[in-house]
Amino acid sequence: MSQTNLSETLFKPRFKYPETSTLVHRSRHYSVCAMQSALDGKTAAHWYRLINRLLWVWRGVHPLEILDIQARIAASRAERTHDAILDTVVGYRSGNWIYEWSKQAMSWQQRACQQQDSVLCGKQWLMAANLYSIAAYPHLKGDVLAEQAQVLANRAYEEAAPRLSGGLRKLEFPVTGGGAITGFLHMPKGAKGPLPTVLMCGGLDTLQSDYYRLFEHYFAPAGLAMLTIDMPSVGFSSKWKLTQDSSTLHQHVLKALADIPWIDHTRVAALGFRFGANVVVRLAYLEAPRLKAVACIGPVVHALLSDPERQRHVPEMYIDVLASRLGMQNVSDSALSTELNRYSLRTQGLLGRRCPTPMLSACWANDPFSPQEESRLIASSSADGKLMQIPFHPLFMHFDRALSEMTQWLDKRLR
């Protein structure tokens, strides 16, 4: 056998990795209705994924870099699962979403390894972490290539954060029945602890490493530590399926904080983005003695979970995310809708009852995922509630202002 043929045999791929959009099996329509959301981005013709430029830029990725990667994906002539959907290129190769974003991340990783300045090195590692995370987006279960990108994102983040902040501590919290939850504790420079701490609960399509800017620009200047935990079925928490008891992992964490010397367990608050708000509002009711305050941004606690009509107007990708988190890879729309209703905090008999924990909820008008009534209900259910309405334009400026005001509100209740 010739050397060429031997090489082709030895290095021929042994597996055909599943393409992301094929992992959840249900009726698909791919009819794009124009939708724009502050926290989730917007639908774009011929794209399966929501293009979330606002939060990607907010996290530090340059807009031109995003457009360049999209252009490489769009220009690919490789085989696609759906010919009309650009980000469905099959296999780990040029044009594939995970490949192109990971390739960009690797270039930043190489720069970081050659960088002598510690701070610049940290920023380059953080850029690599953000790009690897976007490569894995939306983090569906069973997406082997995405899981590999998640591992690289977490490794890059562990290189970045200690160089940029006062310290990053990787913590393990035991779970009843076996296993341990992995979390990252971020501390401001010069702080020794124990510190007032915000428990960060992200959305279902993000990793805990996606929120460093929140710590760097808002919590750290206020002297607050930030503890992040991956949502069930994502990242370090991938072994746990999301259940109706959505806050169970975070409850284990709260109960263990008394043993963490850098955290003042008597001064802990929680902040939730999207479905993360479902977790923190649930904690506000079930763990009131352990929480000083709870804040939500664009909460998903009732309307989207209980209204089949609203679910029909949500992009395919987001419905796939919900199905994936619930472990329903083969599901009809009606079965998924029935199951989602059980996750509504109103259906569970919590939201609407008087809650002793102070709760703030921020929202945008005409948010397809979270109507204003949702935030109003959260605020009115608390003995010390606040509703924050965020103007949509200019989006970036008002988002920054809302996060600043939210940090001040949390800080006041943690002192």
Side-chain angles (χ1 to χ4, degrees), residues 106-335:
M106 287 175 191
S107 70
W108 282 97
Q109 182 175 316
Q110 289 172 351
R111 292 184 219 180
C113 291
Q114 297 165 4
Q115 180 59 248
Q116 300 300 313
D117 184 278
S118 179
V119 174
L120 286 177
C121 178
K123 289 180 178 179
Q124 290 164 347
W125 273 115
L126 183 62
M127 184 66 72
N130 282 323
L131 292 166
Y132 278 128
S133 177
I134 298 172
Y137 167 77
H139 312 286
L140 299 184
K141 290 284 287 182
D143 195 339
V144 180
L145 295 175
E147 288 168 1
Q148 292 172 3
Q150 286 180 19
V151 171
L152 293 171
N154 286 319
R155 287 178 179 172
Y157 191 69
E158 290 180 55
E159 292 285 347
R163 292 178 167 91
L164 298 175
S165 67
L168 178 77
R169 289 179 169 82
K170 190 175 179 180
L171 305 177
E172 300 285 334
F173 301 94
V175 176
T176 305
I181 307 161
T182 299
F184 290 137
L185 176 64
H186 307 71
M187 297 176 65
K189 288 183 179 179
K192 297 181 180 179
L195 294 170
T197 302
V198 179
L199 175 62
M200 177 63 212
C201 305
L204 292 175
D205 55 357
T206 60
L207 299 177
Q208 60 174 304
S209 59
D210 292 343
Y211 295 96
Y212 182 79
R213 183 184 172 108
L214 188 64
F215 169 72
E216 181 183 33
H217 287 264
Y218 305 96
F219 294 159
L224 303 175
M226 182 178 79
L227 176 62
T228 57
I229 304 293
D230 278 317
M231 293 290 284
S233 84
V234 185
F236 284 113
S237 301
S238 59
K239 65 183 291 186
W240 289 281
K241 187 180 77 172
L242 183 66
T243 68
Q244 296 164 40
D245 187 7
S246 60
S247 60
T248 182
L249 295 185
H250 295 78
Q251 285 179 262
H252 278 95
V253 170
L254 282 178
K255 291 172 183 176
L257 293 186
D259 299 324
I260 307 299
W262 306 286
I263 295 176
D264 183 347
H265 70 282
T266 66
R267 293 189 292 165
V268 177
L271 171 62
F273 277 62
R274 282 298 188 230
F275 198 91
N278 189 289
V279 171
V280 301
V281 172
R282 210 166 185 279
L283 291 174
Y285 281 95
L286 302 180
E287 299 291 344
R290 292 187 170 93
L291 282 175
K292 289 292 186 182
V294 157
C296 311
I297 304 178
V300 174
V301 294
H302 173 65
L304 180 63
L305 303 172
S306 61
D307 183 357
E309 184 61 29
R310 185 177 291 272
Q311 292 163 17
R312 279 192 284 272
H313 289 86
V314 167
E316 298 281 350
M317 186 210 81
Y318 196 80
I319 295 297
D320 283 356
V321 168
L322 292 172
S324 178
R325 299 293 168 260
L326 272 54
M328 302 176 75
Q329 270 74 19
N330 295 276
V331 64
S332 66
D333 288 346
S334 59

Side-chain angles (χ1 to χ4, degrees), residues 57-72:
V57 171
W58 178 77
R59 282 158 52 185
V61 184
H62 196 283
L64 292 180
E65 201 163 10
I66 296 172
L67 291 173
D68 179 55
I69 296 169
Q70 282 188 269
R72 298 205 298 263

